[in-house]
Amino acid sequence: MTSAERPAAARCSSCEAVCCRLMVVLQPEESIPDHLTTYSPKGYRVMKRGEDGWCVAMNSVQMNCGIYETRPAVCRRFVMNGPYCRAIREDYSRDAAKALQESAR
Ligand code: SF4
Ligand code: SF4
């Protein structure tokens, strides 16, 4: 693959915070305000997500984390441009393109 064919590196500053659409399981010691959390069907305490699919702690104007300083451990470990980041961004782009095609029919 040439550098021209290689996809550009993922950068949070130009991403629609795709990782903030994933389920975020909280550790017992994490003190996230109750109104931002809920329980998964399996009984895990998780970050709540809105109807738009994003974590409710997102600042939807700036598209960044509204609780950045106290964000959950799993969010701190998520690596920009790591394999998981790139994979979920690809899925998200594919789904968005498909939705666009379907809406144009
Ligand atoms: S870590 Fe990856 S998916 Fe998350 S905001 Fe940054 S570039 Fe987007
Ligand atoms: S807590 Fe912050 S970093 Fe973690 S998913 Fe929610 S908005 Fe994203």
Side-chain angles (χ1 to χ4, degrees):
M1 188 183 279
T2 67
S3 60
E5 293 167 325
R6 199 173 298 137
R11 300 193 67 81
C12 300
S13 56
S14 55
C15 176
E16 291 182 31
V18 178
C19 54
C20 297
R21 295 172 59 85
L22 299 172
M23 180 185 287
V24 172
V25 177
L26 300 167
Q27 300 302 309
E29 67 276 10
E30 290 184 307
S31 55
I32 306 293
D34 285 345
H35 71 279
L36 299 177
T37 71
T38 186
Y39 287 88
S40 74
K42 289 189 174 174
Y44 298 116
R45 187 166 178 247
V46 297
M47 291 301 295
K48 195 183 282 181
R49 282 180 286 175
E51 286 181 11
D52 59 5
W54 274 274
C55 171
V56 294
M58 272 284 298
N59 176 330
S60 55
V61 176
Q62 298 179 349
M63 291 304 276
N64 59 19
C65 180
I67 58 167
Y68 187 79
E69 295 301 326
T70 56
R71 69 196 186 285
V74 69
C75 304
R76 291 171 190 272
R77 287 198 299 268
F78 204 89
V79 179
M80 178 175 78
N81 200 38
Y84 196 20
C85 162
R86 292 198 305 270
I88 61 165
R89 282 168 49 92
E90 273 178 35
D91 287 349
Y92 181 75
S93 299
R94 195 179 311 114
D95 291 349
K98 199 171 157 191
L100 198 62
Q101 275 178 354
E102 282 169 7
S103 71
R105 279 184 194 153

